[in-house]
Amino acid sequence: MSIHFEGPLFDGRAQRAMDEACDDAREDIAEFAETHALTLMGMAFRNPTGYYESRITTSRVSADTSLVHDQGVVYGPWLEGVGSRNAPVTRFPGYWHWKRTKALVADRGPQIAEQAVRRHLPEMGG
């Protein structure tokens, strides 16, 4: 008797598709975070110069992690509301754009990742 296994699960296609789905999920979630943060800034900033928004970028820091950040702009913490010169030192409490973005990404991230996996299901044999 001879048993022969074939298909995406056995020839590596399913694993490659899953790896691509994970990469797509990471990229999609980071893109969502960057877009949301920029949207909040556009709605909240009273006198935007465009400089701070131009510094917002996404960097891949490891195989499974992307970081959306402001490239260390010195007044970034003040805009966020976590700087030493925010309330009660001054009346400006901050915009909290990063905190609100982080909360939304934590809430919607699983849905975004699921959509990426669903796009790759046919390649996995599903």
Side-chain angles (χ1 to χ4, degrees), residues 31-43:
E31 181 180 328
F32 174 79
E34 184 175 335
T35 300
H36 186 264
L38 288 168
T39 300
L40 288 177
M41 291 173 210
M43 293 182 338

Side-chain angles (χ1 to χ4, degrees), residues 13-35:
R13 287 181 288 165
Q15 182 62 49
R16 283 190 299 278
M18 194 61 212
D19 291 344
E20 290 174 11
C22 289
D23 282 345
D24 286 356
R26 180 190 43 73
E27 290 173 9
D28 293 350
I29 291 169
E31 181 180 328
F32 174 79
E34 184 175 335
T35 300

Side-chain angles (χ1 to χ4, degrees), residues 13-75:
R13 287 181 288 165
Q15 182 62 49
R16 283 190 299 278
M18 194 61 212
D19 291 344
E20 290 174 11
C22 289
D23 282 345
D24 286 356
R26 180 190 43 73
E27 290 173 9
D28 293 350
I29 291 169
E31 181 180 328
F32 174 79
E34 184 175 335
T35 300
H36 186 264
L38 288 168
T39 300
L40 288 177
M41 291 173 210
M43 293 182 338
F45 288 4
R46 293 188 183 146
N47 298 304
T49 63
Y51 177 77
Y52 186 74
E53 294 96 323
S54 74
R55 307 309 295 165
I56 305 304
T57 189
T58 301
S59 302
R60 187 170 183 171
V61 294
S62 71
D64 61 350
T65 306
S66 288
L67 176 67
V68 181
H69 57 96
D70 64 6
Q71 299 181 39
V73 173
V74 70
Y75 55 86

Side-chain angles (χ1 to χ4, degrees), residues 3-4 7 12 25 30 34 36 40 48 53 55 70 74 76-77 85 91-93 97 105 116 120:
I3 299 174
H4 177 72
E34 184 175 335
H36 186 264
L40 288 177
E53 294 96 323
R55 307 309 295 165
D70 64 6
V74 70
R85 295 186 159 264
R91 292 183 301 156
F92 181 63
H97 48 279
V105 167
H120 289 277

